[in-house]
Amino acid sequence: MTAIRKQVEKASILSFCPTTPRPLQRDLLLSIEADYASTDVFVCQLPTGTGKTFIAVTLAKWLHKVHGYSSAVLTPTNILRDQYIQDYPMMHTLSNAGMYTCSNADE
């Protein structure tokens, strides 16, 4: 294992934040980092404007760099997709849910 890889694995999730997190974002990210080994599901339900997108981008970067996972972002509208692209240009290809058909939509 390279020295750089070891440094990345020891890096706090907060080191992957695109900017300084707000207190709520910081606390939530640290909680996810602490509980990561014991669960594979995280649910984040917060009001509009509290920084869910920031948390998602930070998690995607952390999961990719530290754990080797890829992430996908699926938004319900083009407006939210465009917001991701504008605010977080490092997120490459994004889609909205309207571009896909649910396989059991008629059931």
Side-chain angles (χ1 to χ4, degrees), residues 20-96:
T20 303
R22 294 182 225 152
L24 175 67
Q25 294 166 327
R26 181 185 181 283
D27 293 347
L28 182 56
L29 288 166
L30 290 174
S31 176
I32 290 169
E33 182 178 42
D35 294 339
Y36 180 76
S38 64
T39 187
D40 59 355
V41 176
F42 296 95
V43 177
C44 175
Q45 182 177 356
L46 297 169
T48 302
T50 54
K52 294 179 295 293
T53 301
F54 179 94
I55 292 166
V57 168
T58 302
L59 280 173
K61 289 171 63 178
W62 179 68
L63 288 169
H64 176 70
K65 295 287 186 181
V66 175
H67 300 284
Y69 294 119
S70 295
S71 297
V73 175
L74 180 64
T75 63
T77 65
N78 284 334
I79 293 170
L80 288 175
R81 181 200 61 204
D82 294 345
Q83 177 186 336
Y84 261 97
I85 292 168
Q86 179 182 347
D87 294 347
Y88 302 99
M90 79 289 286
M91 302 296 282
H92 299 288
T93 304
L94 302 168
S95 299
N96 75 52

